[in-house]
Amino acid sequence: MSDFDLDLRTVEEHIDEEFELDGEIVLGVLDGTTPSSEWLEAVSTGNVLVLCVEGEVNELASGFARDVKESGGNLIHFRGFLVVTPPGIDVNTDRL
């Protein structure tokens, strides 16, 4: 093991770069008053949406759900909320 050379500073630099995310978590209400294009724009710029659903989720999300899914994003309806993630951010539902 004495021949093993590990430069932790180099490793830390790569880890910071690899896990950098450019979005934020956006809280909102999905009730039909916000245009679907605004929700889609928020997700397409790297944001995660956590939307309190007030009404029929399939109807309210129909204007942006297909585009999110086709781009590789995720939509999860959980306990009255719709969680919408951009491509590259998965929602782990293993504990549900």
Side-chain angles (χ1 to χ4, degrees):
M1 285 292 216
S2 62
D3 293 335
F4 186 73
D5 186 21
L6 178 62
D7 183 359
L8 292 178
R9 286 177 292 216
T10 303
V11 171
E12 287 176 352
E13 289 174 11
H14 289 290
I15 288 174
D16 289 342
E17 291 172 11
E18 190 173 323
F19 292 106
E20 240 177 70
L21 299 174
D22 287 334
E24 58 188 12
I25 297 173
V26 177
L27 303 179
V29 178
L30 184 62
D31 60 2
T33 60
T34 301
S36 295
S37 60
E38 286 186 32
W39 296 131
L40 187 57
E41 175 67 23
V43 174
S44 68
T45 57
N47 297 308
V48 173
L49 306 179
V50 179
L51 305 174
C52 179
V53 179
E54 293 186 357
E56 169 55 40
V57 68
N58 292 328
E59 180 182 318
L60 293 169
S62 66
F64 61 90
R66 173 170 280 152
D67 291 331
V68 169
K69 292 294 266 183
E70 288 178 354
S71 72
N74 297 291
L75 294 99
I76 305 293
H77 187 216
F78 177 69
R79 294 192 176 194
F81 291 91
L82 181 63
V83 179
V84 185
T85 64
I89 300 180
D90 295 324
V91 177
N92 184 329
T93 60
D94 292 346
R95 295 183 184 206
L96 297 180

